[in-house]
Amino acid sequence: MMLKKHIKQYLLPAFYHAWRALFNTIYTYYIFKGGRNSGKSTFVSRAIILLMMMFPINTLVVRKVANTLSESVYEQLIDSIESLGVTDYWKRSKSPLGLMYNPRGNRIIFRGADDPVKLKSIKSHKFPIAILWIEEVSEFKNEDEVSTIVNSVI
């Protein structure tokens, strides 16, 4: 990885423990709670970029409504790429919406869950989808919708 600072300089102190847990795969699921400006989306997006640069994995990013992806989580991930100073290593795509780590070819895939059953067809032949980021879980009607997404990816 091409970062010039210690990893802690890229993360908010409130999330150091979460980074250690993510990096060491202590848990299978992580739920970050907090209001606006709590830093949770910034942390998650930076962690995804860092982990994908370290490991040969793909990420699936999901929101309830597909047309909200490009102006929310996609922009958040672009901001993280830029703030980490690794812009030259990432390729952006608006159609289809996606990001690719150029040195290895692993990708961040974006999907809406307007119909969670459609997520069952996502395949990744070269790198496993090891990270699933479900943004704004409160947008989903019930836990079954979220479970359908998780079970489709795992």
Side-chain angles (χ1 to χ4, degrees):
M1 189 165 27
M2 300 52 159
L3 299 174
K4 294 180 171 116
K5 301 177 189 173
H6 188 275
I7 198 80
K8 284 187 173 183
Q9 291 179 293
Y10 296 104
L11 305 173
L12 296 169
F15 293 97
Y16 290 168
H17 176 74
W19 169 256
R20 281 192 300 276
L22 279 171
F23 185 77
N24 294 307
T25 60
I26 293 173
Y27 306 106
T28 303
Y29 304 103
Y30 299 84
I31 297 173
F32 297 105
K33 295 180 179 182
R36 269 185 192 273
N37 297 319
S38 66
K40 62 189 180 305
S41 293
T42 299
F43 168 72
V44 171
S45 62
R46 286 184 182 181
I48 286 170
I49 298 303
L50 292 168
L51 290 168
M52 288 188 63
M53 291 176 71
M54 291 178 195
F55 302 106
I57 57 174
N58 284 335
T59 295
L60 174 62
V61 180
V62 177
R63 279 198 73 168
K64 175 69 176 169
V65 180
N67 68 8
T68 61
L69 289 162
S70 66
E71 294 179 355
S72 61
V73 286
Y74 180 79
E75 288 297 325
Q76 180 70 54
L77 285 155
I78 297 286
D79 182 65
S80 290
I81 288 168
E82 291 173 356
S83 67
L84 291 168
V86 295
T87 305
D88 292 343
Y89 300 101
W90 288 86
K91 178 182 176 187
R92 304 173 189 189
S93 171
K94 279 287 202 174
S95 183
L97 198 61
L99 295 165
M100 184 176 72
Y101 179 54
N102 288 326
R104 190 181 298 118
N106 46 331
R107 302 178 305 134
I108 300 176
I109 304 161
F110 296 85
R111 292 291 185 273
D114 309 77
D115 181 0
V117 178
K118 289 182 180 178
L119 291 169
K120 289 182 179 180
S121 64
I122 291 183
K123 300 288 182 245
S124 176
H125 74 282
K126 193 169 182 183
F127 303 106
I129 296 175
I131 300 171
L132 170 62
W133 178 12
I134 302 175
E135 176 66 33
E136 300 293 348
V137 174
S138 62
E139 293 175 348
F140 292 88
K141 291 178 192 167
N142 55 51
E143 203 173 305
D144 288 342
E145 280 187 319
V146 175
S147 294
T148 299
I149 294 166
V150 171
N151 293 333
S152 295
V153 175
I154 292 181

